Amino acid sequence: MTIDQLIDAVLDREGGYSNHPADRGGETKFGITTAVARANGYDGVMRDLPVGTARAIYRRLYWLRPRFDAVAAQAPLVAAELFDTGVNMGPPAAVAFLQRALNALNRGATDYPDMPVDGRIGAITLAGLAAFLARRGAGGERVLLKAIEALQGERYLALAERRPANEAFLYGWLANRIG
């Protein structure tokens, strides 16, 4: 999928305006919170946030800035998952899932060295991803994707356990964000 298709999918999933009382993000439009919209120059009423503004924010903050485009050059399915996870949990959480999974799948650092789990994609993370894919072949990307989704699912469950108000979102998170 292209980034435009990924953004379309997020816009479809997130829907229009929302102000759910259990959502700590407060008002959202197309999944963009008021805080994110304001930090990116939008100062209008959230109900009126233009879809073009949301698209630009998704591309810049959730694709280019975290370097998911660089991941897509090697592993497009993983990049698509990282984008979606980053939209929902923040890009650093998505990157940390990738880094943790790569560390756990490197067979005791025999395939490539462990990397810091710092939530940032740099040369070490990209080199680890390349080494993993070279070692594991075509099926490796799907296994890595499963590991990332497992970490994401565990995080959703933990969020609901720690804050019962999040139970209002758990079913949707698992239905729409995993697999």
Side-chain angles (χ1 to χ4, degrees):
M1 295 180 87
T2 68
I3 182 54
D4 290 321
Q5 291 169 318
L6 294 172
I7 291 171
D8 286 345
V10 166
L11 292 173
D12 286 345
R13 213 171 10 262
E14 293 292 344
Y17 177 81
S18 176
N19 193 11
H20 195 288
D23 188 346
R24 288 183 172 173
E27 287 184 287
T28 65
K29 175 91 181 262
F30 307 121
I32 303 292
T33 64
T34 302
V36 169
R38 300 288 182 254
N40 285 275
Y42 180 73
D43 61 1
V45 175
M46 281 305 292
R47 284 186 188 275
D48 299 333
L49 179 77
V51 70
T53 300
R55 285 180 174 285
I57 289 170
Y58 279 129
R59 181 180 307 274
R60 186 175 55 257
L61 296 186
Y62 299 96
W63 184 252
L64 296 173
R65 184 178 291 171
R67 301 194 62 207
F68 295 152
D69 58 324
V71 173
Q74 296 183 53
L77 297 175
V78 168
E81 181 61 34
L82 295 177
F83 171 74
D84 187 64
T85 302
V87 165
N88 197 248
M89 295 184 172
V95 174
F97 293 159
L98 170 65
Q99 293 167 329
R100 288 179 60 200
L102 285 170
N103 284 343
L105 290 165
N106 70 3
R107 297 181 323 131
T110 59
D111 291 341
Y112 49 89
D114 279 339
M115 64 194 70
V117 178
D118 61 7
R120 294 189 313 261
I121 292 177
I124 294 170
T125 301
L126 292 172
L129 176 60
F132 172 79
L133 294 170
R135 174 78 171 117
R136 295 300 181 173
E141 184 177 9
R142 292 233 180 252
V143 170
L144 182 58
L145 186 60
K146 286 180 182 184
I148 292 166
E149 288 177 338
L151 291 166
Q152 182 183 12
E154 191 285 325
R155 176 84 166 266
Y156 287 135
L157 289 169
L159 287 170
E161 288 170 342
R162 281 196 306 266
R163 183 173 178 257
N166 284 335
E167 289 181 12
F169 308 113
L170 182 59
Y171 184 90
W173 288 336
L174 295 173
N176 299 311
R177 300 290 183 171
I178 306 293

